Amino acid sequence: MVPFDYSVRHVWVKASVNGGPLEDFLVDTGASITVLDSGYAARRGIAVEGRIQGPGAGQTGGASLSQVDSIVVPGAGGVPPRLSQVLIA
């Protein structure tokens, strides 16, 4: 069982990125990619490896891409999900 908090109409879990400390992450069950805040990525030393452009609500915007080794959510079965790319926004 994965412990979570439900607050302000969002589901939050504790997770560790690349073996870092557990921190709060918003779970977006409809997302097709993992997004990390750019300030968080900078503090954790996650280097930008590329950029993409994409359409948004009424305009086009850009975001950075990077790669992480693991995101571990305690209680999620013992096997950390492996991610090839994350979006840094």
Side-chain angles (χ1 to χ4, degrees):
M1 175 178 241
V2 176
F4 68 92
D5 288 320
Y6 182 75
S7 176
V8 195
R9 299 175 52 188
H10 295 293
V11 175
W12 298 86
V13 297
K14 295 282 187 186
S16 168
V17 176
N18 288 348
L22 289 176
E23 299 194 51
D24 291 320
F25 285 84
L26 173 75
V27 176
D28 182 350
T29 59
S32 60
I33 191 165
T34 299
V35 178
L36 297 177
D37 176 76
S38 60
Y40 171 83
R43 286 191 307 277
R44 299 294 314 137
I46 299 170
V48 170
E49 297 178 4
R51 291 203 38 89
I52 62 168
Q53 290 288 102
Q59 63 184 6
T60 299
S64 300
L65 290 173
S66 190
Q67 195 159 336
V68 298
D69 295 323
S70 67
I71 297 179
V72 177
V73 178
V79 178
R82 298 286 180 200
L83 303 175
S84 60
Q85 290 187 334
V86 295
L87 197 63
I88 300 174

